[in-house]
Amino acid sequence: KDLSEGKTPDIYFGNFYDYNYLGRNGYVVDLVPLFESDSEISIEDLQPSVRDMIGNSDGTCYQLMSGYYVNGMVGLEDYFPSSEVSIYDLNDLPQDINLYLGESSSNLLDDALIYSIEEIVEQNYKNTGTYDITEEQLIDLIEYAVNYGCSPDAYLSSGSSFYTDVLDSTVLLSKDAYMISQLQMFRADSLCAGKKLTFVGYPSLYGSIHLANPEALMAISSSTEHLDACWMFVKCLLSEEMQVEEISSSNQRYPVVTKVMENYKYWIDNSNLLSADNLYKRAVKNLTPWNDGVVTDKDWEVYSEYAQVADTLIVRDFGLQAIVDQDLADYYSANKSIEDIAKSMCIRINLYYHENYE
């Protein structure tokens, strides 16, 4: 009601709002023209992975953030030489080692389906000419979830794995991408004994979903009467001061501006040249408790690689999630077959998709 009547804030602020949905429906402005008319900053200043995550295939961009951290599974490079892993690729893995430990089937299905629904439907349109997900695809996804995940009851009492379990091959995947991407917390050289951990993300139909949790995600209302002032405020997210704060935080996040990543590496390598008033001093100092601040080439390789692999912002579509979770629950509570669940889910998801995404 407030949206339709134009009773909205000038600036939307919230890390998990679906600003692309609001943009498609005309409620928030495309930021690309604002970037193009700005002499101080360009959208090209952003890391390539960030431009892909906040932008759309039609060239629009409705949102901007100050930083992000990655979210997803990691596995040994020996088993996962590529960060792109589909649910079908899992069949080629050793069957005598658990894939996951303590992952619920509903979480696995949510992560595999909700964040890739548009990709799946777009691919189906290219193949069949219809914007629909198929029962066969849902059967594959549900089988993956129930085969590798545990029931809701078991999930409440189950343990969880850590990257150390992956290193000793107790389990193949662990949800530790966030920790491993923290220079303040993790050292690839000293903790991995020469082994490489691949950011696998969450397997889906056509590869992996590599999630990113945004920080300070904002959009500008199309009904604002103060567009220039709003843009001046929002683009402050990209100031060097704000960007350095992201890497200096105790909960370290990736900066979104490429130059800040480059400067961070420079000052890590040349910390002896840091002056008392240097913006990067606190970020570099925060590394000291770990290996005396030493960051090896391997450490930086992992840190920067995870930043570029991230491809999907976490935007929780609660309507779609409710459909998926409600239907999947019937597998356990009502003893319904996977085929029956897929049939119900297919009808509900396609109806929901046509009403909200097209």
Side-chain angles (χ1 to χ4, degrees):
K1 184 174 181 292
D2 288 342
L3 285 173
S4 62
E5 294 178 357
K7 297 177 181 178
T8 62
D10 289 324
I11 295 174
Y12 289 90
F13 175 86
N15 289 341
F16 303 110
Y17 290 155
D18 190 349
Y19 294 124
N20 285 328
Y21 172 83
L22 295 179
R24 289 195 301 269
N25 288 277
Y27 295 121
V28 298
V29 303
D30 180 9
L31 301 181
V32 172
L34 297 174
F35 270 112
E36 292 175 343
S37 62
D38 197 303
S39 60
E40 298 177 339
I41 196 161
S42 165
I43 199 169
E44 297 299 320
D45 295 337
L46 305 181
Q47 294 191 62
S49 60
V50 172
R51 295 199 301 270
D52 290 341
M53 286 191 288
I54 66 173
N56 301 294
S57 59
D58 62 0
T60 56
C61 177
Y62 300 112
Q63 55 199 339
L64 199 59
M65 60 185 178
S66 60
Y68 63 99
Y69 63 86
V70 297
N71 180 321
M73 302 289 177
V74 297
L76 278 178
E77 185 180 42
D78 291 346
Y79 299 124
F80 303 97
S82 169
S83 60
E84 288 294 338
V85 179
S86 75
I87 60 174
Y88 307 109
D89 295 328
L90 302 177
N91 296 324
D92 299 327
L93 294 171
Q95 300 301 303
D96 58 340
I97 307 175
N98 286 332
L99 181 65
Y100 304 114
L101 177 63
E103 290 299 321
S104 76
S105 56
S106 59
N107 285 346
L108 293 179
L109 187 56
D110 286 345
D111 292 329
L113 176 56
I114 291 175
Y115 297 110
S116 64
I117 183 66
E118 291 186 80
E119 178 188 11
I120 294 171
V121 170
E122 287 289 341
Q123 187 63 45
N124 287 350
Y125 178 75
K126 293 177 182 178
N127 295 335
T128 67
T130 59
Y131 285 105
D132 289 319
I133 193 168
T134 68
E135 286 185 34
E136 290 75 15
Q137 289 171 325
L138 286 169
I139 288 173
D140 288 348
L141 287 166
I142 296 168
E143 286 182 341
Y144 151 72
V146 299
N147 286 341
Y148 292 109
C150 55
S151 68
D153 290 340
Y155 175 65
L156 294 175
S157 60
S158 66
S160 58
S161 60
F162 300 94
Y163 76 89
T164 50
D165 299 313
V166 170
L167 290 174
D168 64 19
S169 294
T170 302
V171 68
L172 292 176
L173 289 172
S174 172
K175 195 182 292 185
D176 269 345
Y178 166 64
M179 199 195 90
I180 292 171
S181 67
Q182 303 295 292
L183 277 180
Q184 296 174 355
M185 300 169 62
F186 187 82
R187 289 293 178 270
D189 269 350
S190 61
L191 297 179
C192 289
K195 298 178 181 180
K196 172 77 180 295
L197 288 168
T198 302
F199 179 17
V200 172
Y202 298 102
S204 187
L205 285 181
Y206 298 117
S208 296
I209 308 299
H210 306 91
L211 294 178
N213 290 59
E215 178 66 17
L217 190 65
M218 296 186 189
I220 300 175
S221 172
S222 57
S223 63
T224 183
E225 297 178 357
H226 313 286
L227 182 59
D228 291 341
C230 288
W231 174 240
M232 287 292 291
F233 181 84
V234 170
K235 78 173 187 177
C236 285
L237 296 173
L238 307 184
S239 67
E240 191 169 21
E241 292 81 1
M242 178 65 80
Q243 290 294 289
V244 174
E245 181 61 30
E246 294 299 308
I247 57 177
S248 304
S249 168
S250 58
N251 295 316
Q252 187 184 51
R253 295 174 289 267
Y254 285 110
V256 299
V257 174
T258 301
K259 188 64 176 177
V260 173
M261 278 286 282
E262 294 172 350
N263 288 345
Y264 187 28
K265 180 63 164 68
Y266 173 83
W267 288 116
I268 288 173
D269 293 341
N270 298 276
S271 58
N272 60 308
L273 302 178
L274 283 166
S275 61
D277 60 350
N278 189 297
L279 278 175
Y280 294 81
K281 187 174 181 64
R282 182 159 65 96
V284 175
K285 183 179 179 181
N286 285 348
L287 301 173
T288 301
W290 297 86
N291 290 8
D292 296 323
V294 174
V295 175
T296 67
D297 290 342
K298 190 68 173 179
D299 296 333
W300 185 263
E301 177 188 341
V302 172
Y303 174 72
S304 56
E305 177 185 307
Y306 280 35
Q308 295 308 315
V309 171
D311 53 34
T312 305
L313 285 187
I314 288 185
V315 175
R316 191 56 89 174
D317 187 327
F318 292 104
L320 186 56
Q321 182 180 350
I323 293 172
V324 173
D325 291 351
Q326 288 166 8
D327 279 341
L328 182 62
D330 287 341
Y331 176 80
Y332 300 100
S333 63
N335 202 29
K336 283 191 175 181
S337 70
I338 289 176
E339 289 75 17
D340 286 343
I341 292 170
K343 184 175 183 178
S344 171
M345 197 180 290
C346 186
I347 294 170
R348 297 179 69 193
I349 287 177
N350 285 332
L351 178 61
Y352 183 87
Y353 188 90
H354 292 309
E355 288 179 345
N356 294 278
Y357 283 79
E358 290 185 353

